[in-house]
Amino acid sequence: QVQLVESGGGLVQPGGSLRLSCAASGNIFSILTMGWYRQAPGKERELVAAISSGGSIVYADSVKGRFALSGDNAKDKVYLQMNSLKPEDTALYYCNVRTIVALTPSDYWGQGTQVTVSR
């Protein structure tokens, strides 16, 4: 089991910045990937960015060059720095951890934090 605590998010004007944080606890040694997804009203949940246990990072095309994902050395926290925010970035952002135990993958989700980009 993994527990996730998210922080950050809020209301920002277009062009502004926000930073999301996610801390994992519990069976963190089984973490395969850690990252952020988002879901806008009426849309499916989509990957924003994720980092693997080996340090590889993937980004959605829509956020490349604007968002930066980083993790700490203990590999139990990730930070999403969001710059040049656009109204279309408005969504509920969820921290995600994927673990693998005995070849069985599992997904854990945070409670979600709202990001609203508006004037």
Side-chain angles (χ1 to χ4, degrees), residues 15-81:
S17 298
L18 284 173
R19 188 185 194 226
L20 305 182
S21 300
C22 178
S25 60
N27 190 13
I28 63 171
F29 299 105
S30 64
I31 291 177
L32 190 62
T33 64
M34 193 169 181
W36 291 90
Y37 284 69
R38 67 185 181 186
Q39 187 167 20
K43 294 187 177 181
E44 294 186 354
R45 191 173 297 188
E46 62 175 2
L47 172 70
V48 177
I51 184 169
S52 71
S53 57
S56 299
I57 301 176
V58 293
Y59 294 97
D61 287 342
S62 59
V63 306
K64 285 180 180 177
R66 301 188 298 121
F67 291 11
L69 186 71
S70 60
D72 69 344
N73 289 335
K75 298 182 180 179
D76 62 351
K77 296 182 181 66
V78 287
Y79 308 97
L80 184 66
Q81 179 65 41

Side-chain angles (χ1 to χ4, degrees), residues 87-111:
E88 51 263 44
D89 295 316
T90 296
L92 194 57
Y93 283 69
Y94 295 92
C95 182
N96 167 265
V97 158
R98 173 161 290 182
T99 65
I100 186 160
V101 177
L103 301 180
T104 301
S106 298
D107 279 305
Y108 297 90
W109 299 92
Q111 76 280 7

